[in-house]
Amino acid sequence: MAVYTDITEDDLSRFLAAYGAGTLLSYKGIAEGVENSNFLLHTTKGALILTLYEKRVDPGDLPFFLGLMHHLAERGLSCPLPLPRSDGALLGELSGRPAAVISFLEGMWLRKPAAKHCREVGRALAQMHLAGEGFELTRRNALSVDGWRPLWDKSADRADEVETGLRDEIPGELDLLEARWPKDLPTGVIHADLFQDNVFFIGDELSGLIDFYFACNDILAYDVATCLNAWCFEKDGSFNLTKGMALLEGYESVRPLSDAEVAALPLLARGSAIRFFLTRLYDWLMTPPGALVVKKDPLEYLRRLRFHRQVLDAREYGLSR
């Protein structure tokens, strides 16, 4: 979540009138994240989230994102829901951007998750994978293996500004991933961005998943690998085996991984790490001045990539078999 586009109180009040969402009392931008402009609204009928979809988001993808949230909620997954306008449409326009009003999900994200929270995340991810079955719309993952080299090419000339030697290190990694990326693992709808700030808890109980704007169709175990990267490393860069074990146990309590998925997990984790390294590197170098966005350190994911290069067996992530 972030703020790239400003809005005025008058324009926002007129926009909300089409939703029957009550009278606007206050609003403020949400600075975390890098993709869309988001605002927390308070109205006489309660709290809501307003999302303005920025230029990096293809308007043609919005029916997938909004429809997916409805599909998952109908199958029992706790997630925000887009509110319909009086004409039934889920999308409007505000400040020259496609915009949607989303229900507010109670809870907060955890700065210091413990193993018990990782177990709940694993369980919720598997539930999402199962709930996504039967969703008729599809969306390819533009940030999967075939999208990494074009993204790297946009940053390569300046990569050594972040760490000396990067320009020479990354092409070989891309060569290996492109040659070995699995093509026959189970696929379905994945979240693709289930970081700590996209999972809400009330106390120790997981209250829901948010921010489905990277969701797509891809390898299900790749989503598991992304969660290992996002939830199971400590601030000093070390992998927390106890958290990894808990996350994988939670996932397999709902959807057991196949032998092929288990064997591929180290490579998938390596690919996930380079995906987030590359997008963070691009944003680190290219985010325009004045954007109210918290840029994320790309080197955090470079260190994780280097860790995964040394992993030979998924048991090193805590898998018990």
Side-chain angles (χ1 to χ4, degrees), residues 8-311:
T8 68
E9 183 176 350
D10 288 344
D11 287 346
L12 178 54
S13 294
R14 285 192 290 270
F15 177 80
L16 285 178
Y19 287 86
T23 302
L24 180 67
L25 299 176
S26 66
Y27 70 99
K28 65 179 181 179
I30 301 172
E32 294 170 334
V34 297
E35 196 67 18
N36 301 310
S37 293
N38 292 274
F39 299 84
L40 174 62
L41 314 181
H42 290 281
T43 78
T44 51
K45 291 189 177 180
L48 298 166
I49 298 294
L50 168 70
T51 297
L52 275 63
Y53 300 100
E54 298 293 344
K55 294 179 181 179
R56 284 173 57 171
V57 176
D58 182 350
D61 287 334
L62 294 178
F64 177 90
F65 298 143
L66 301 177
L68 176 61
M69 285 187 269
H70 274 285
H71 179 89
L72 296 174
E74 287 175 353
R75 284 153 182 78
L77 192 79
S78 179
C79 63
L81 283 174
L83 274 62
R85 293 159 46 94
S86 55
D87 61 3
L90 296 177
L91 275 173
E93 183 176 305
L94 180 59
S95 297
R97 298 282 189 265
V101 177
I102 312 292
S103 64
F104 181 79
L105 185 68
E106 293 288 347
M108 59 184 295
W109 67 274
L110 302 176
R111 269 66 175 179
K112 296 181 179 180
K116 59 187 175 183
H117 304 119
C118 294
R119 183 174 288 103
E120 292 304 306
V121 170
R123 184 178 293 115
L125 180 68
Q127 290 169 344
M128 196 211 92
H129 288 166
L130 296 182
E133 294 177 358
F135 183 54
E136 294 183 354
L137 299 180
T138 61
R139 177 178 181 264
R140 65 177 290 270
N141 185 0
L143 292 172
S144 189
V145 60
D146 58 351
W148 297 337
R149 194 176 296 272
L151 185 57
W152 164 246
D153 290 342
K154 295 176 182 179
S155 303
D157 288 345
R158 296 180 58 194
D160 280 10
E161 295 176 24
V162 177
E163 183 180 287
T164 302
L166 274 181
R167 189 171 180 179
D168 293 329
E169 177 180 354
I170 298 303
E173 184 70 26
L174 292 172
D175 290 343
L176 181 146
L177 289 168
E178 288 166 354
R180 299 185 184 178
W181 200 248
K183 297 180 174 60
D184 55 356
L185 296 179
T187 61
V189 176
I190 69 169
H191 187 284
D193 194 41
L194 201 62
F195 280 65
Q196 293 173 25
D197 56 354
N198 289 332
V199 181
F200 281 5
F201 285 83
I202 298 176
D204 289 332
E205 184 176 350
L206 193 150
S207 61
L209 311 182
I210 68 168
D211 201 351
F212 288 84
Y213 300 116
F214 285 100
C216 55
N217 296 85
D218 207 337
I219 297 170
L220 296 177
Y222 176 71
D223 228 9
V224 178
T226 294
C227 283
L228 287 172
N229 276 320
W231 288 84
C232 301
F233 282 85
E234 301 300 329
K235 290 187 180 298
D236 64 1
S238 63
F239 182 78
N240 187 313
L241 188 64
T242 302
K243 290 182 178 180
M245 182 182 299
L247 190 145
L248 292 167
E249 285 178 351
Y251 187 89
E252 290 208 290
S253 72
V254 176
R255 180 188 172 269
L257 295 166
S258 69
D259 290 343
E261 288 174 305
V262 170
L265 200 56
L267 184 69
L268 296 172
R270 194 166 166 174
S272 170
I274 203 169
R275 172 263 187 265
F276 286 100
F277 163 73
L278 290 172
T279 51
R280 287 182 175 201
L281 178 66
Y282 178 85
D283 289 333
W284 190 267
L285 295 172
M286 308 299 180
T287 296
L292 300 178
V293 57
V294 178
K295 294 195 296 183
K296 297 178 179 179
D297 182 6
L299 294 182
E300 180 182 4
Y301 270 77
L302 182 64
R303 290 188 289 270
R304 294 177 192 185
L305 169 62
R306 290 167 176 165
F307 169 84
H308 294 304
R309 285 176 184 158
Q310 311 305 315
V311 175

